[in-house]
Amino acid sequence: MKLKVVTHFWSVGNRTKRVGSKKYKLGEEPINFELHALPATAVLKDETVYIEVRNYANEIIKKIEIKKGGKSYYRPFSMDAGYEFTFKLSRF
């Protein structure tokens, strides 16, 4: 199973633009990756992926649970511009 992370940039008064995507192969080991400088960890357990997003002090700021075939959306708190992320699971 693979986790696809799609990154979009948004700002007030402008269109939201896709700025990139990455795929990560999931296995029994936790996967560490970054969400535009925020450290994150993904763990696969029983066809469900658990994602933890942390801040710079290593405190968990968001927990995301995605079941097989599902997707999830995450936008960190921001007032006027920033990045947003879509997580998708695929078999290939």
Side-chain angles (χ1 to χ4, degrees):
M1 189 177 298
K2 288 190 178 183
L3 173 67
K4 182 176 182 179
V5 180
V6 180
T7 305
H8 291 86
F9 179 79
W10 67 276
S11 65
V12 175
N14 293 318
R15 286 182 53 181
T16 300
K17 296 180 184 177
R18 181 177 173 158
V19 294
S21 68
K22 292 186 180 179
K23 289 184 181 179
Y24 302 96
K25 187 173 181 180
L26 298 170
E28 296 178 11
E29 298 286 324
I31 304 294
N32 295 316
F33 58 97
E34 289 190 357
L35 296 176
H36 196 70
L38 288 176
T41 304
V43 178
L44 175 64
K45 292 182 183 175
D46 300 325
E47 297 188 1
T48 302
V49 175
Y50 300 94
I51 301 172
E52 294 180 346
V53 182
R54 299 177 179 272
N55 63 9
Y56 300 111
N58 208 23
E59 299 169 346
I60 297 174
I61 56 175
K62 182 71 175 179
K63 289 184 179 182
I64 302 168
E65 180 180 329
I66 309 170
K67 295 189 179 188
K68 181 180 177 181
K71 64 181 181 176
S72 182
Y73 171 80
Y74 173 56
R75 178 189 276 184
F77 179 75
S78 180
M79 297 299 285
D80 55 1
Y83 291 90
E84 57 190 23
F85 307 96
T86 304
F87 303 98
K88 297 178 184 180
L89 295 179
S90 63
R91 293 185 298 162
F92 308 105

